[in-house]
Amino acid sequence: MVRRDFLKTSIIAGTIAVCETPGALAQEQATENNGMPRLVPPAKPAELNLCLQYGAIPGAEMKEKLDFLEANGFASVETGGGDWLINNADALAKELEGRKLFVSAVCAGYKGDFASADQATRRLAVDSCKPLLEKAGMLKSCGLIVCPARRNVGMAFPELRDDFVKNTGRELAEHAVKFNTSIVLEPLQRSETMFLRLVADGAAIARDIGPGCTVMGDFWHMSKEENSFMGAFLSAGKLLSHVHIASLKGRQIPGVDGSADNYTDGFKGLKLLGYRGAVSLEGGFPKDSDRKQLILNMVKLLREQWIVA
Ligand code: MG
């Protein structure tokens, strides 16, 4: 055999030797799995932890409200921020003792504006968030919901993003870490802000800021902005810390908009992530409706959809 023929034979033989076994294995696996990608299940399976915002819970007193949650299949409560949190966090912590309920997110309630051109207004946003983060940490909450911008934005978008990542947002995230909590970025929809509309964008900002910053997804906003509920949640990965849910035609309690209220695609994403945070109602109630009954209907609907997702 001449040298050229020997090399040619060896190369072909070598190629076969290297590729044959994995190729055969891959083909076998593909047949087993109908050609679909294999997904690695999360170490701990996801949980559907249903949650109500404090103000939406039936009942007048704190105890009555928490009793309602426990008696009706809820795992969590989302609190308001602002003065309510400052004045009620200690009482809430005491009332939660011995219960299985956990506090999910604290819903905003800060002053100022991270997107203002005025430095003092941005400073106010940072300073007014800090005591709320301290209370959020004390309540073992995943964090304080923060929207970096609303409709009126005083800076160019690149400048605002840079300032939030390097200054305002980062200072708050570093403060949050000290209290074992986070700032939770909430993507909105274009009618509310053009700055942060996609869960993936929020996740990228959270990644750039680092520890102490997470992201959430709100089904209502996502229904207007995202191509896929599942894709959006997957893009957040481990940075996803909270979820809001509402009916998908009129932003009321899930179930009132009939077949439009289908969350299974999003629930698939949450299951793939092994998500164990809260799914919290942020929506209204039809006028003169039986709120308790609608809440029970929602619990049933979401549980059914979680099972089949
Ligand atoms: Mg929301």
Side-chain angles (χ1 to χ4, degrees), residues 171-258:
E171 182 176 338
L172 282 178
E174 287 171 355
H175 193 71
V177 166
K178 290 180 202 162
F179 296 89
N180 204 25
T181 187
S182 74
I183 52 170
V184 182
L185 305 183
E186 181 169 17
L188 302 174
Q189 57 183 285
R190 63 195 62 201
S191 59
E192 295 178 307
T193 182
M194 288 299 286
F195 178 72
L196 178 53
R197 299 178 293 113
L198 300 174
V199 174
D201 282 344
I205 293 173
R207 176 204 63 206
D208 289 352
I209 287 178
C213 189
T214 60
V215 68
M216 63 170 288
D218 181 323
F219 272 98
W220 172 248
H221 300 309
M222 290 164 74
S223 72
K224 309 290 180 192
E225 300 290 346
E226 306 279 1
N227 288 324
S228 157
F229 288 134
M230 178 167 66
F233 283 137
L234 290 180
S235 69
K238 288 180 178 162
L239 292 170
L240 186 76
S241 63
H242 193 54
V243 172
H244 278 162
I245 199 163
S247 74
L248 295 177
K249 279 187 182 171
R251 203 183 192 184
Q252 295 190 316
I253 184 166
V256 300
D257 286 339

Coordinates of all heavy atoms in Angstrom, one line a residue, residues 171-258:
E171 N -26.8 49.4 44.0 CA -26.7 49.8 45.5 C -27.9 49.1 46.2 O -27.6 48.6 47.4 CB -26.9 51.3 45.6 CG -26.8 51.8 47.0 CD -26.8 53.3 47.2 OE1 -26.5 54.0 46.2 OE2 -27.2 53.8 48.3
L172 N -29.0 49.0 45.6 CA -30.1 48.3 46.3 C -29.9 46.8 46.4 O -30.2 46.2 47.4 CB -31.5 48.6 45.6 CG -32.1 50.0 45.8 CD1 -33.3 50.2 45.0 CD2 -32.4 50.2 47.3
A173 N -29.4 46.2 45.3 CA -29.1 44.8 45.4 C -28.1 44.5 46.4 O -28.3 43.5 47.2 CB -28.6 44.3 44.0
E174 N -27.1 45.3 46.6 CA -26.1 45.1 47.6 C -26.7 45.2 49.0 O -26.4 44.5 49.9 CB -24.9 46.0 47.4 CG -24.0 45.6 46.2 CD -23.0 46.7 45.9 OE1 -23.0 47.7 46.5 OE2 -22.2 46.4 44.9
H175 N -27.6 46.1 49.2 CA -28.3 46.3 50.4 C -29.2 45.1 50.7 O -29.3 44.5 51.8 CB -29.2 47.6 50.4 CG -29.7 48.0 51.7 ND1 -28.9 48.5 52.7 CD2 -31.0 47.9 52.2 CE1 -29.6 48.8 53.8 NE2 -30.9 48.4 53.5
A176 N -29.9 44.6 49.6 CA -30.8 43.4 49.7 C -30.0 42.2 50.2 O -30.5 41.4 51.0 CB -31.5 43.2 48.4
V177 N -28.8 42.0 49.7 CA -28.1 40.8 50.0 C -27.8 40.8 51.5 O -27.9 39.7 52.1 CB -26.7 40.8 49.2 CG1 -25.7 39.8 49.8 CG2 -27.0 40.5 47.8
K178 N -27.6 41.9 52.1 CA -27.3 42.0 53.6 C -28.5 41.5 54.4 O -28.3 41.0 55.5 CB -27.0 43.4 54.0 CG -25.7 44.0 53.5 CD -25.6 45.4 54.0 CE -24.6 46.2 53.1 NZ -24.7 47.7 53.3
F179 N -29.7 41.5 53.8 CA -30.9 41.1 54.5 C -31.5 39.8 53.8 O -32.6 39.5 54.1 CB -31.9 42.3 54.5 CG -31.4 43.4 55.3 CD1 -30.7 44.4 54.7 CD2 -31.6 43.5 56.7 CE1 -30.2 45.5 55.4 CE2 -31.1 44.5 57.4 CZ -30.4 45.6 56.8
N180 N -30.6 39.2 53.1 CA -31.0 37.9 52.5 C -32.3 38.0 51.6 O -33.1 37.1 51.6 CB -31.2 36.8 53.6 CG -31.0 35.4 53.0 OD1 -30.3 35.2 52.0 ND2 -31.6 34.5 53.7
T181 N -32.4 39.0 50.9 CA -33.6 39.2 50.0 C -33.1 39.8 48.7 O -31.9 39.7 48.4 CB -34.7 40.0 50.7 OG1 -35.8 40.0 49.9 CG2 -34.2 41.4 51.0
S182 N -34.0 40.4 47.8 CA -33.6 40.9 46.5 C -34.5 42.0 46.1 O -35.5 42.2 46.6 CB -33.6 39.8 45.5 OG -34.9 39.4 45.1
I183 N -34.0 42.7 45.1 CA -34.9 43.6 44.3 C -35.4 42.7 43.2 O -34.7 42.0 42.5 CB -34.3 44.9 43.8 CG1 -33.0 44.6 43.0 CG2 -34.1 45.9 44.9 CD1 -32.5 45.9 42.3
V184 N -36.8 42.7 43.0 CA -37.4 41.8 42.0 C -37.8 42.7 40.8 O -38.8 43.5 40.9 CB -38.6 41.1 42.6 CG1 -39.2 40.2 41.6 CG2 -38.2 40.4 43.9
L185 N -37.2 42.6 39.7 CA -37.5 43.5 38.5 C -38.8 43.0 37.9 O -38.9 41.8 37.6 CB -36.3 43.5 37.5 CG -35.0 43.9 38.1 CD1 -33.9 43.9 36.9 CD2 -35.0 45.2 38.8
E186 N -39.7 43.9 37.7 CA -40.9 43.5 37.0 C -41.0 44.1 35.6 O -41.2 45.3 35.5 CB -42.2 43.9 37.8 CG -43.4 43.4 37.1 CD -44.7 43.5 37.8 OE1 -44.8 44.2 38.9 OE2 -45.7 42.9 37.4
P187 N -40.9 43.2 34.6 CA -41.2 43.7 33.2 C -42.7 44.1 33.1 O -43.5 43.3 33.5 CB -40.8 42.6 32.3 CG -39.9 41.7 33.2 CD -40.4 41.9 34.6
L188 N -43.0 45.2 32.5 CA -44.3 45.7 32.3 C -44.7 45.5 30.8 O -44.2 44.7 30.1 CB -44.5 47.1 32.8 CG -44.1 47.4 34.2 CD1 -44.1 48.8 34.6 CD2 -45.0 46.6 35.2
Q189 N -45.6 46.3 30.3 CA -46.0 46.3 28.9 C -45.8 47.7 28.3 O -45.7 48.6 29.0 CB -47.4 45.8 28.7 CG -48.4 46.6 29.5 CD -49.8 46.0 29.3 OE1 -50.4 46.1 28.2 NE2 -50.3 45.4 30.3
R190 N -45.8 47.7 27.0 CA -45.4 49.0 26.3 C -46.3 50.2 26.6 O -45.8 51.3 26.5 CB -45.4 48.7 24.8 CG -46.7 48.4 24.2 CD -46.5 47.8 22.8 NE -45.7 46.6 22.8 CZ -45.0 46.1 21.7 NH1 -45.0 46.8 20.6 NH2 -44.3 45.0 21.9
S191 N -47.6 49.9 27.0 CA -48.4 51.1 27.4 C -47.9 51.7 28.7 O -48.3 52.8 29.1 CB -49.9 50.7 27.5 OG -50.0 49.7 28.5
E192 N -47.2 50.9 29.5 CA -46.7 51.4 30.8 C -45.2 51.9 30.8 O -44.8 52.8 31.4 CB -46.9 50.4 31.9 CG -48.3 50.1 32.1 CD -48.6 49.0 33.1 OE1 -48.0 47.9 33.0 OE2 -49.3 49.2 34.1
T193 N -44.4 51.1 30.0 CA -43.0 51.5 29.8 C -42.5 50.8 28.6 O -42.9 49.7 28.3 CB -42.1 51.2 31.0 OG1 -40.8 51.7 30.7 CG2 -42.0 49.7 31.3
M194 N -41.6 51.5 27.8 CA -40.9 50.8 26.7 C -39.6 50.3 27.2 O -38.9 49.6 26.5 CB -40.7 51.7 25.6 CG -42.0 52.1 24.8 SD -42.8 50.6 24.0 CE -41.7 50.3 22.7
F195 N -39.2 50.6 28.5 CA -37.9 50.3 28.9 C -37.7 48.8 29.2 O -36.7 48.2 28.8 CB -37.5 51.1 30.1 CG -36.1 50.8 30.6 CD1 -35.0 51.2 29.9 CD2 -35.9 50.1 31.8 CE1 -33.7 50.9 30.4 CE2 -34.7 49.8 32.3 CZ -33.5 50.2 31.6
L196 N -38.6 48.3 30.0 CA -38.4 46.9 30.4 C -39.7 46.1 30.3 O -40.6 46.3 31.1 CB -37.9 46.8 31.9 CG -37.8 45.4 32.5 CD1 -36.9 44.5 31.6 CD2 -37.2 45.4 33.9
R197 N -39.8 45.4 29.1 CA -41.1 44.7 28.8 C -40.9 43.2 28.7 O -41.9 42.5 28.7 CB -41.5 45.2 27.4 CG -41.8 46.7 27.4 CD -42.2 47.1 26.0 NE -41.1 47.0 25.0 CZ -41.1 46.1 24.0 NH1 -42.1 45.3 23.8 NH2 -40.0 46.1 23.2
L198 N -39.7 42.7 28.6 CA -39.5 41.3 28.4 C -38.8 40.6 29.6 O -37.9 41.2 30.1 CB -38.7 41.0 27.1 CG -39.3 41.5 25.8 CD1 -38.3 41.3 24.7 CD2 -40.6 40.8 25.5
V199 N -39.3 39.5 30.0 CA -38.7 38.8 31.1 C -37.2 38.5 30.8 O -36.3 38.7 31.7 CB -39.4 37.4 31.4 CG1 -38.7 36.6 32.5 CG2 -40.8 37.7 31.8
A200 N -36.8 38.2 29.6 CA -35.4 38.0 29.3 C -34.6 39.2 29.5 O -33.4 39.2 29.9 CB -35.3 37.5 27.8
D201 N -35.2 40.4 29.2 CA -34.4 41.7 29.4 C -34.2 41.9 30.9 O -33.1 42.3 31.3 CB -35.2 42.9 28.8 CG -35.0 43.0 27.3 OD1 -34.1 42.3 26.8 OD2 -35.8 43.7 26.7
G202 N -35.3 41.6 31.7 CA -35.1 41.8 33.1 C -34.1 40.8 33.7 O -33.3 41.2 34.6
A203 N -34.1 39.6 33.2 CA -33.1 38.6 33.6 C -31.7 39.1 33.3 O -30.8 38.9 34.1 CB -33.4 37.2 33.0
A204 N -31.5 39.7 32.1 CA -30.2 40.1 31.7 C -29.7 41.3 32.6 O -28.5 41.3 33.0 CB -30.2 40.6 30.2
I205 N -30.6 42.2 33.0 CA -30.3 43.2 33.9 C -29.9 42.7 35.3 O -28.9 43.0 35.9 CB -31.4 44.3 34.0 CG1 -31.6 45.0 32.7 CG2 -31.1 45.3 35.1 CD1 -32.8 45.9 32.7
A206 N -30.7 41.7 35.7 CA -30.4 41.1 37.0 C -29.1 40.4 37.0 O -28.3 40.4 37.9 CB -31.6 40.1 37.4
R207 N -28.8 39.7 35.9 CA -27.5 39.0 35.7 C -26.4 40.0 35.8 O -25.3 39.8 36.5 CB -27.5 38.3 34.4 CG -26.2 37.6 34.1 CD -26.1 37.4 32.6 NE -26.0 38.7 31.9 CZ -26.4 38.9 30.6 NH1 -26.9 37.9 29.9 NH2 -26.4 40.1 30.1
D208 N -26.6 41.2 35.1 CA -25.5 42.2 35.1 C -25.3 42.8 36.4 O -24.2 43.2 36.8 CB -25.8 43.2 34.0 CG -25.7 42.7 32.6 OD1 -25.2 41.6 32.4 OD2 -26.1 43.4 31.7
I209 N -26.4 43.0 37.2 CA -26.2 43.5 38.5 C -25.6 42.5 39.5 O -24.7 42.9 40.3 CB -27.6 44.0 39.1 CG1 -28.0 45.3 38.3 CG2 -27.6 44.3 40.6 CD1 -29.4 45.8 38.7
G210 N -26.0 41.3 39.4 CA -25.4 40.3 40.3 C -26.3 39.9 41.5 O -27.5 40.2 41.5
P211 N -25.7 39.4 42.5 CA -26.4 39.0 43.7 C -27.3 40.1 44.2 O -27.0 41.2 44.3 CB -25.4 38.6 44.7 CG -24.2 38.2 43.9 CD -24.2 39.1 42.7
G212 N -28.5 39.7 44.7 CA -29.5 40.7 45.2 C -30.4 41.2 44.2 O -31.3 42.1 44.6
C213 N -30.3 40.7 43.0 CA -31.3 41.2 42.0 C -31.9 40.0 41.3 O -31.2 39.1 40.8 CB -30.6 42.1 40.9 SG -31.8 42.9 39.8
T214 N -33.2 39.9 41.2 CA -33.9 38.8 40.5 C -35.0 39.4 39.6 O -35.1 40.6 39.5 CB -34.6 37.9 41.6 OG1 -35.5 38.6 42.3 CG2 -33.6 37.2 42.5
V215 N -35.7 38.5 38.9 CA -36.7 39.0 38.0 C -38.0 38.2 38.2 O -38.0 37.1 38.8 CB -36.2 38.8 36.5 CG1 -36.1 37.4 36.2 CG2 -37.1 39.6 35.5
M216 N -39.1 38.8 37.8 CA -40.4 38.1 37.9 C -41.1 38.2 36.5 O -40.7 38.9 35.6 CB -41.3 38.8 39.0 CG -41.7 40.2 38.7 SD -42.9 40.8 39.8 CE -44.4 39.9 39.2
G217 N -42.2 37.4 36.4 CA -43.0 37.4 35.2 C -44.5 37.6 35.6 O -44.9 37.0 36.6
D218 N -45.1 38.5 34.9 CA -46.6 38.8 35.2 C -47.3 38.3 33.9 O -47.1 38.9 32.9 CB -46.7 40.3 35.5 CG -48.2 40.7 35.8 OD1 -49.1 40.1 35.1 OD2 -48.4 41.6 36.6
F219 N -48.1 37.3 34.1 CA -48.8 36.7 33.0 C -49.6 37.8 32.1 O -49.7 37.7 30.9 CB -49.8 35.6 33.4 CG -49.3 34.3 33.5 CD1 -48.8 33.7 34.7 CD2 -49.2 33.4 32.4 CE1 -48.4 32.4 34.8 CE2 -48.7 32.1 32.5 CZ -48.3 31.6 33.7
W220 N -50.1 38.8 32.8 CA -50.9 39.8 32.1 C -50.0 40.6 31.2 O -50.3 40.7 30.0 CB -51.6 40.7 33.1 CG -52.2 41.9 32.5 CD1 -51.9 43.2 32.6 CD2 -53.4 41.9 31.6 NE1 -52.7 44.0 31.9 CE2 -53.6 43.3 31.3 CE3 -54.2 40.9 31.1 CZ2 -54.7 43.6 30.4 CZ3 -55.2 41.3 30.2 CH2 -55.5 42.6 29.9
H221 N -48.9 41.1 31.7 CA -48.0 41.9 30.8 C -47.4 40.9 29.8 O -47.2 41.3 28.6 CB -46.9 42.5 31.7 CG -47.4 43.4 32.7 ND1 -48.2 44.5 32.4 CD2 -47.1 43.5 34.0 CE1 -48.5 45.1 33.6 NE2 -47.8 44.6 34.5
M222 N -47.0 39.7 30.2 CA -46.4 38.8 29.3 C -47.3 38.5 28.1 O -46.9 38.3 27.0 CB -46.0 37.5 30.0 CG -44.9 37.6 31.0 SD -44.8 36.3 32.2 CE -44.1 35.0 31.2
S223 N -48.6 38.4 28.4 CA -49.6 38.1 27.3 C -49.6 39.2 26.2 O -50.0 38.9 25.1 CB -51.0 37.9 27.9 OG -51.6 39.2 28.3
K224 N -49.1 40.4 26.6 CA -49.1 41.5 25.6 C -47.7 41.5 24.9 O -47.6 42.1 23.8 CB -49.3 42.8 26.3 CG -50.5 42.9 27.2 CD -51.8 42.9 26.3 CE -53.0 42.9 27.2 NZ -54.3 42.6 26.5
E225 N -46.7 41.0 25.5 CA -45.3 41.3 25.1 C -44.5 40.1 24.6 O -43.6 40.2 23.8 CB -44.5 42.0 26.2 CG -45.1 43.4 26.6 CD -45.0 44.4 25.5 OE1 -44.2 44.2 24.5 OE2 -45.7 45.5 25.6
E226 N -44.8 38.9 25.2 CA -43.9 37.8 25.0 C -44.5 36.9 23.9 O -45.7 36.8 23.7 CB -43.8 36.9 26.3 CG -43.4 37.7 27.5 CD -41.8 37.9 27.6 OE1 -41.1 37.4 26.6 OE2 -41.4 38.5 28.6
N227 N -43.6 36.2 23.2 CA -44.1 35.3 22.2 C -44.5 33.9 22.8 O -45.3 33.2 22.2 CB -42.9 35.0 21.1 CG -42.7 36.2 20.2 OD1 -43.7 36.9 19.9 ND2 -41.5 36.4 19.9
S228 N -43.9 33.6 23.9 CA -44.2 32.3 24.6 C -44.0 32.5 26.1 O -43.0 33.0 26.6 CB -43.2 31.3 24.1 OG -43.0 30.2 25.0
F229 N -45.1 32.1 26.8 CA -45.0 32.2 28.3 C -43.8 31.3 28.7 O -43.0 31.6 29.6 CB -46.3 31.6 28.9 CG -47.5 32.6 28.8 CD1 -48.7 32.1 28.4 CD2 -47.4 33.9 29.2 CE1 -49.8 32.9 28.4 CE2 -48.5 34.8 29.1 CZ -49.7 34.2 28.7
M230 N -43.8 30.1 28.2 CA -42.8 29.1 28.6 C -41.4 29.6 28.3 O -40.5 29.6 29.1 CB -43.0 27.7 27.9 CG -42.0 26.7 28.2 SD -42.4 25.0 27.8 CE -42.4 25.1 26.0
G231 N -41.2 30.1 27.0 CA -39.9 30.6 26.6 C -39.5 31.8 27.5 O -38.3 31.9 27.9
A232 N -40.4 32.6 27.9 CA -40.1 33.8 28.7 C -39.6 33.3 30.1 O -38.6 33.8 30.6 CB -41.3 34.7 28.9
F233 N -40.3 32.4 30.7 CA -39.9 31.9 32.0 C -38.6 31.2 31.9 O -37.7 31.4 32.8 CB -41.0 31.0 32.6 CG -42.2 31.7 33.2 CD1 -43.5 31.2 32.9 CD2 -42.1 32.8 33.9 CE1 -44.6 31.8 33.4 CE2 -43.2 33.5 34.5 CZ -44.5 33.0 34.2
L234 N -38.4 30.4 30.9 CA -37.1 29.7 30.8 C -36.0 30.6 30.6 O -34.9 30.4 31.1 CB -37.2 28.7 29.6 CG -38.1 27.5 29.7 CD1 -38.0 26.6 28.5 CD2 -37.7 26.7 31.0
S235 N -36.2 31.8 30.0 CA -35.1 32.7 29.8 C -34.7 33.4 31.1 O -33.6 33.9 31.2 CB -35.5 33.8 28.8 OG -36.5 34.7 29.4
A236 N -35.6 33.3 32.1 CA -35.2 33.9 33.4 C -34.4 32.9 34.2 O -33.5 33.3 35.1 CB -36.4 34.3 34.2
G237 N -34.6 31.6 34.0 CA -33.8 30.5 34.7 C -33.9 30.7 36.2 O -35.0 31.0 36.8
K238 N -32.8 30.5 36.9 CA -32.8 30.6 38.3 C -33.1 32.0 38.9 O -33.2 32.2 40.1 CB -31.5 30.0 38.9 CG -31.4 28.5 38.7 CD -30.1 28.0 39.2 CE -30.0 26.5 39.1 NZ -28.7 25.9 39.1
L239 N -33.0 33.0 38.0 CA -33.2 34.4 38.5 C -34.7 34.7 38.7 O -35.1 35.7 39.2 CB -32.6 35.4 37.5 CG -31.1 35.3 37.5 CD1 -30.6 36.2 36.3 CD2 -30.5 35.8 38.8
L240 N -35.6 33.7 38.3 CA -37.0 34.0 38.4 C -37.4 33.8 39.9 O -37.2 32.7 40.5 CB -37.9 33.0 37.5 CG -39.3 33.3 37.5 CD1 -39.7 34.5 36.7 CD2 -40.1 32.1 37.1
S241 N -38.0 34.8 40.5 CA -38.3 34.7 41.9 C -39.8 34.9 42.3 O -40.2 34.7 43.4 CB -37.5 35.7 42.7 OG -37.8 37.1 42.4
H242 N -40.6 35.4 41.3 CA -42.0 35.7 41.6 C -42.8 35.7 40.3 O -42.3 36.0 39.2 CB -42.1 37.1 42.3 CG -43.4 37.3 42.9 ND1 -44.0 36.5 43.9 CD2 -44.3 38.4 42.8 CE1 -45.1 37.0 44.3 NE2 -45.3 38.1 43.6
V243 N -44.1 35.4 40.4 CA -45.0 35.4 39.3 C -46.3 36.0 39.7 O -46.9 35.8 40.8 CB -45.3 33.9 38.8 CG1 -46.3 33.9 37.7 CG2 -44.0 33.3 38.3
H244 N -46.8 36.9 38.8 CA -48.2 37.5 38.9 C -49.1 36.8 37.9 O -48.6 36.5 36.8 CB -48.2 39.0 38.7 CG -47.8 39.8 39.9 ND1 -47.4 41.1 39.7 CD2 -47.7 39.5 41.2 CE1 -47.1 41.6 41.0 NE2 -47.3 40.6 41.8
I245 N -50.3 36.7 38.3 CA -51.3 36.0 37.3 C -52.6 36.8 37.4 O -53.0 37.3 38.4 CB -51.5 34.5 37.7 CG1 -52.0 33.7 36.5 CG2 -52.3 34.3 39.0 CD1 -51.9 32.2 36.7
A246 N -53.3 36.8 36.2 CA -54.6 37.5 36.1 C -55.3 36.8 35.0 O -54.7 36.1 34.2 CB -54.4 39.0 35.9
S247 N -56.6 37.1 34.8 CA -57.3 36.7 33.7 C -56.8 37.4 32.4 O -56.2 38.5 32.5 CB -58.8 37.0 33.8 OG -59.1 38.4 33.6
L248 N -56.8 36.7 31.3 CA -56.0 37.2 30.2 C -56.8 38.1 29.1 O -56.2 38.5 28.1 CB -55.3 36.0 29.5 CG -54.3 35.3 30.4 CD1 -53.7 34.1 29.7 CD2 -53.2 36.3 30.8
K249 N -58.0 38.4 29.5 CA -58.7 39.4 28.6 C -58.9 40.7 29.3 O -58.7 41.8 28.7 CB -60.1 38.9 28.2 CG -60.1 37.9 27.0 CD -61.6 37.6 26.6 CE -61.6 36.6 25.5 NZ -63.0 36.2 25.2
G250 N -59.2 40.6 30.6 CA -59.5 41.9 31.3 C -58.8 42.1 32.6 O -59.1 43.0 33.4
R251 N -57.7 41.4 32.8 CA -56.9 41.5 34.1 C -57.7 41.4 35.3 O -57.7 42.3 36.2 CB -56.1 42.8 34.0 CG -54.8 42.6 34.9 CD -54.0 43.8 35.0 NE -52.7 43.5 35.7 CZ -51.8 44.4 36.0 NH1 -52.0 45.7 35.7 NH2 -50.7 44.0 36.5
Q252 N -58.6 40.4 35.4 CA -59.3 40.1 36.6 C -58.9 38.8 37.1 O -57.8 38.3 36.7 CB -60.8 40.2 36.3 CG -61.3 41.6 35.9 CD -62.7 41.7 35.8 OE1 -63.5 40.9 35.3 NE2 -63.2 42.8 36.3
I253 N -59.6 38.2 38.1 CA -59.2 37.0 38.7 C -59.3 35.8 37.6 O -60.3 35.8 36.8 CB -60.1 36.6 39.9 CG1 -59.6 35.4 40.6 CG2 -61.5 36.6 39.6 CD1 -60.1 35.2 42.0
P254 N -58.3 35.0 37.5 CA -58.3 33.9 36.5 C -59.6 33.1 36.6 O -60.0 32.7 37.7 CB -57.0 33.1 36.9 CG -56.1 34.1 37.4 CD -57.0 35.0 38.2
G255 N -60.1 32.8 35.4 CA -61.3 32.0 35.4 C -62.5 32.8 34.8 O -63.4 32.2 34.2
V256 N -62.5 34.1 35.0 CA -63.6 34.9 34.5 C -63.6 35.2 33.0 O -64.6 35.6 32.4 CB -63.7 36.3 35.3 CG1 -63.9 36.0 36.8 CG2 -62.6 37.2 35.0
D257 N -62.4 34.9 32.4 CA -62.3 35.1 30.9 C -62.4 33.8 30.1 O -61.9 33.7 29.0 CB -61.1 35.9 30.6 CG -61.2 37.4 31.0 OD1 -62.3 37.9 31.1 OD2 -60.2 38.0 31.2
G258 N -63.0 32.8 30.7 CA -63.3 31.6 30.0 C -62.0 30.9 29.5 O -61.0 30.8 30.1

